[in-house]
Amino acid sequence: MAGLLLLLAAALSACTNPQTTFSPKSDTAQSIQTLYLLVIVMASIVMVGVFGVLGFALFRFRDRPGRVASQTHGNTKLEIIWTLLPVAILVIIGAPALIAVAGSAKAPDEDALHINVVGHQWWFEVQYPGMGPEDPNNPGERLPLITANEVHLPIGRQIYVTLESVDVIHSFWIPQLIGKTDMIPGTVNELQTFTPQEVGAFYGQCAEFCGTAHAQMRFRAVVESLGDFNEWAEALQTAPADPASELAAAGQTLFLAKGCVACHTIYGMPGAAGKLGPDLTLLGDRRTIGAGIVDNTDENLQQWIRDLQQMKPGTLHMPSFGTLPVENPQHMSDAEIRAVSAFLRGMTLE
Ligand code: CUA
């Protein structure tokens, strides 16, 4: 009984898992799912068949008083059947699997949207080559459009992702959209192409152990209409409006004064061009902070700035500003943290 309850609990614990692969939302994820179900069905047939015959033999030929087991040697018909049957099963599973594997190596369509994702300990840098502002050093050429921890994807368009890493091996995975592929330093990997088929925000996760905060290295894939996607891409390369409140304006000043700009870029804000940490342009529109780990709310962002080591132990480079000694010039009071949070979350599309 206890065993059954434990099994039930294990099964139910999977019910609300947002990282399920069982509800595919792209053409490629769907084909993986179809293959998976085929294998499960075939494996189930084999299991029922083998255990059925075994059970039957155990019962039918059990030891009974006065009976002597008949002695046989060899059965050609049986030998042929149990050779051909597994061959047939393997062909049924193998043929579609080989076709799917061959398809996974197909070159992307010409009009596929190219995205380059770079792994960092422990967050994702997202680049859209050729979609950003004009390159001042190279007139006529466009820089990549850059964001972090949120991959925007237009629905119905084929997506072609290349993967890199600046430090250790990470792995890029959006369970409902596409299988995982490693991000390896010094090399460029290609993710199998896929076409998103449903609007929504889907969970992504680093799937290769990469250090202390590996489990907290997440992101969101945001699938949206082409109109919304274009609007977002346009807003990312438009200089931000002046802060809407006094508090946010004070936050902008602090963002410079406390050295945040040494690591973070905000497009269009003079002096804010740091590259060590995630780009924060339009942060107010992101669904999460801390690389996909908590909702983007005032409370969470303030807590992040105050003491991020408590929210995401092991985070590199960024100080917990609220816990620094008061005499440290980078220390921030609660009031200052509120201001910086108001400034960052005030940067939105509208
Ligand atoms: Cu990056 Cu695990």
Side-chain angles (χ1 to χ4, degrees):
M1 199 58 197
L4 273 181
L5 279 174
L6 209 66
L7 259 177
L8 188 67
L12 288 176
S13 70
C15 280
T16 55
N17 181 3
Q19 306 216 86
T20 181
T21 55
F22 290 114
S23 111
K25 305 291 185 205
S26 80
D27 57 344
T28 307
Q30 183 60 57
S31 77
I32 294 171
Q33 166 90 337
T34 306
L35 203 55
Y36 179 75
L37 289 178
L38 172 73
V39 173
I40 288 289
V41 167
M42 296 308 289
S44 305
I45 292 172
V46 169
M47 190 189 77
V48 169
V50 168
F51 281 97
V53 171
L54 182 65
F56 172 78
L58 283 173
F59 179 77
R60 178 79 175 70
F61 304 111
R62 68 190 184 282
D63 184 30
R64 273 168 294 183
R67 273 190 61 171
V68 178
S70 74
Q71 306 296 316
T72 59
H73 183 260
N75 185 329
T76 311
K77 207 195 279 176
L78 206 56
E79 296 273 358
I80 292 173
I81 290 174
W82 74 38
T83 304
L84 290 185
L85 213 59
V87 169
I89 290 169
L90 287 180
V91 168
I92 293 172
I93 294 175
L98 285 175
I99 292 169
V101 169
S104 74
K106 253 199 336 231
D109 295 347
E110 218 160 84
D111 64 344
L113 175 67
H114 178 202
I115 306 174
N116 185 49
V117 184
V118 185
H120 296 252
Q121 280 175 317
W122 288 278
W123 57 280
F124 293 89
E125 178 181 348
V126 185
Q127 309 170 339
Y128 296 76
M131 279 185 55
E134 195 175 83
D135 184 350
N137 304 318
N138 215 342
E141 295 288 305
R142 294 179 75 180
L143 295 166
L145 187 69
I146 293 178
T147 186
N149 301 325
E150 201 163 273
V151 187
H152 283 244
L153 308 168
I155 189 170
R157 175 137 175 225
Q158 192 186 62
I159 309 294
Y160 167 60
V161 182
T162 48
L163 301 166
E164 299 176 59
S165 169
V166 296
D167 36 48
V168 299
I169 301 178
H170 303 276
S171 185
F172 184 87
W173 187 29
I174 315 170
Q176 288 187 271
L177 294 180
I178 188 69
K180 60 186 81 130
T181 296
D182 279 359
M183 319 171 84
I184 299 171
T187 188
V188 178
N189 269 355
E190 294 179 335
L191 195 64
Q192 184 179 357
T193 56
F194 64 100
T195 305
Q197 293 170 325
E198 191 174 306
V199 167
F202 302 102
Y203 277 62
Q205 166 81 51
C206 176
E208 173 72 35
F209 180 68
C210 55
T212 316
H214 155 69
Q216 309 278 52
M217 181 170 171
R218 306 179 205 167
F219 63 101
R220 295 291 185 277
V222 179
V223 178
E224 56 200 356
S225 69
L226 186 64
D228 287 350
F229 176 79
N230 287 336
E231 195 186 339
W232 168 80
E234 194 54 47
L236 264 190
Q237 47 195 305
T238 307
D242 286 336
S245 66
E246 251 173 64
L247 185 68
Q252 185 175 31
T253 308
L254 285 162
F255 193 78
L256 275 164
K258 296 293 180 179
C260 310
V261 293
C263 297
H264 296 289
T265 292
I266 292 175
Y267 181 80
M269 175 176 167
K275 294 284 180 215
L276 194 57
D279 186 297
L280 299 181
T281 310
L282 280 189
L283 185 85
D285 269 331
R286 292 204 196 140
R287 284 140 186 83
T288 63
I289 56 164
I293 63 169
V294 288
D295 289 341
N296 183 359
T297 64
D298 278 323
E299 198 174 89
N300 284 338
L301 185 55
Q302 288 168 22
Q303 176 60 21
W304 176 263
I305 300 168
R306 183 179 302 116
D307 191 0
L308 57 98
Q309 288 299 337
Q310 203 197 17
M311 291 179 91
K312 185 168 171 173
T315 306
L316 298 173
H317 311 304
M318 181 164 162
S320 291
F321 288 92
T323 66
L324 294 171
V326 183
E327 56 276 13
N328 185 318
Q330 282 195 295
H331 168 87
M332 285 195 220
S333 66
D334 280 355
E336 288 173 324
I337 288 169
R338 270 199 299 280
V340 173
S341 169
F343 161 60
L344 290 174
R345 285 186 21 86
M347 290 186 297
T348 57
L349 268 174
E350 276 77 34

